[in-house]
Amino acid sequence: SPPPPPVFLPGIGLIAADEAVEKLAPPLNSAEQVYLVSLMELTANLLGVSVAELESPTASSIQGMLQMATNPSEQVQEIGDALNTMSGNRANLEVVQAIVLDVVNTLASKQEERTGVPAEQLFGPGLFIARQAVSGLSNRLGSQLPASSSSSSSSSSS
């Protein structure tokens, strides 16, 4: 069969598909492999499936995972409740926002490092939009949340 067509990578141009994969998703080091296995095991446990089903899903296993999303297990509901509690006031929401923004920036810089192309050029306006969406999270949702005890005392003095 013919080789796959070249892939356009912003800031680099047309390159072979294999080279693009190597730049964007190089082989994992041992620490990354351990982390990936841990995430796969956690995800499989939460979804009530085996790791093998996540690695090579069938139509029926995908259907089961989708049903799990609409009718979550007690474990999944507990995690959702914990996340809701964690973001239950403005201060906690700002912590969640900082964590999410850190993840976005870390992923962008990792891809920048792998490709040698600035993240803004590689992802275009999508990266800016993602950062703005995360940055505006506390402003959009914060007005609906009670202030934390420390921020309510400081806001009452102004």
Side-chain angles (χ1 to χ4, degrees), residues 74-89 92 96:
E74 189 174 314
Q75 280 181 308
V76 172
Q77 288 175 351
E78 286 177 17
I79 291 172
D81 291 344
L83 290 173
N84 284 335
T85 300
M86 190 170 80
S87 64
N89 67 46
N92 289 347
V96 172

Side-chain angles (χ1 to χ4, degrees), residues 15-123:
I15 60 174
D18 291 344
E19 186 180 349
V21 169
E22 183 63 32
K23 283 188 175 292
L24 295 172
L28 301 176
N29 64 36
S30 59
E32 292 168 331
Q33 287 174 350
V34 169
Y35 184 65
L36 176 61
V37 168
S38 298
L39 285 178
M40 292 289 286
E41 289 172 350
L42 173 65
T43 303
N45 189 21
L46 288 173
L47 292 174
V49 299
S50 69
V51 172
E53 287 176 290
L54 287 178
E55 292 173 342
S56 303
T58 62
S60 63
S61 67
I62 291 172
Q63 183 179 12
M65 287 183 245
L66 291 174
Q67 285 175 343
M68 172 66 75
T70 58
N71 188 17
S73 68
E74 189 174 314
Q75 280 181 308
V76 172
Q77 288 175 351
E78 286 177 17
I79 291 172
D81 291 344
L83 290 173
N84 284 335
T85 300
M86 190 170 80
S87 64
N89 67 46
R90 182 181 292 273
N92 289 347
L93 181 62
E94 289 169 358
V95 170
V96 172
Q97 172 189 353
I99 291 168
V100 172
L101 192 56
D102 184 53
V103 168
V104 168
N105 289 331
T106 300
L107 291 172
S109 64
K110 189 70 162 176
Q111 290 298 61
E112 183 175 310
E113 180 184 306
R114 289 175 174 168
T115 62
V117 176
E120 287 74 14
Q121 186 176 0
L122 187 62
F123 297 108

